[in-house]
């Protein structure tokens, strides 16, 4: 007799909307995905470690996870977290902000300006060489 264990959490193709997470819960989830401990997350957010622990447990319950590591996995699978490393401070970082519907940060704007200036120089050089 085999026992089938249903995995907790939302199905990867669930049609309904995902759980609504607060900005602090997303910050904890993102930091945990990057490998930060609760102590480090607490320092980054200006919270007590016990508060971060409570946030992580509430977050895991909302996602139907067994622990914070499982919550990160489920968040990636549900599309809450991207799961891929993000580019920052260059043209690709700028494009990623735009694709996510965000206003690009200053570092990415600077990278985009440098990219555009380089493209203008390349077009000007190509035009001069063709003449």
């Amino acid at each position: 007799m085999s026992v089938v264990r249903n995995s907790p959490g939302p199905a990867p193709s669930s049609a309904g909307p995902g759980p609504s997470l607060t900005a602090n819960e997303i910050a904890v989830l993102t930091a945990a995905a990057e490998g930060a401990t609760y102590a480090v997350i607490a320092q980054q957010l200006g919270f007590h470690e016990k508060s971060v622990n409570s946030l992580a447990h509430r977050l895991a319950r909302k996602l139907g996870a067994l622990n914070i590591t499982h919550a990160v996995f489920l968040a990636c699978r549900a599309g809450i977290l991207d799961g891929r490393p993000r580019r920052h401070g260059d043209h690709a970082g700028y494009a990623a902000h735009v694709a996510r519907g965000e206003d690009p940060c200053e570092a990415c704007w600077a990278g985009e300006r440098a990219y555009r200036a380089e493209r203008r120089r390349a077009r000007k050089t190509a035009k001069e060489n063709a003449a």
Side-chain angles (χ1 to χ4, degrees):
M1 175 180 182
S2 65
V3 176
V4 177
R5 181 177 176 263
N6 292 331
S7 65
S13 61
S14 61
S20 62
L21 302 178
T22 67
N24 287 335
E25 289 169 338
I26 291 174
V28 168
L29 189 63
T30 303
E34 294 171 354
T37 63
Y38 289 164
V40 170
I41 296 170
Q43 185 179 20
Q44 289 173 348
L45 298 177
F47 293 160
H48 290 283
E49 187 174 347
K50 194 169 187 173
S51 298
V52 172
N53 190 16
S54 296
L55 269 169
H57 284 290
R58 183 170 55 239
L59 175 61
R61 274 195 312 273
K62 280 185 176 181
L63 294 174
L66 301 173
N67 53 42
I68 191 66
T69 305
H70 191 214
V72 167
F73 170 75
L74 292 175
C76 287
R77 187 164 58 165
I80 296 169
L81 287 181
D82 189 331
R84 294 175 288 178
R86 293 190 176 184
R87 299 280 300 263
H88 188 65
D90 60 2
H91 170 69
Y94 173 86
H97 280 294
V98 172
R100 290 190 300 266
E102 302 169 351
D103 289 332
C105 64
E106 186 54 41
C108 290
W109 263 115
E112 179 65 9
R113 284 191 295 271
Y115 170 79
R116 290 177 182 182
E118 176 58 35
R119 297 305 311 146
R120 278 192 301 274
R121 280 191 297 275
R123 283 191 303 271
K124 184 178 179 181
T125 302
K127 188 176 180 181
E128 290 171 355
N129 289 340

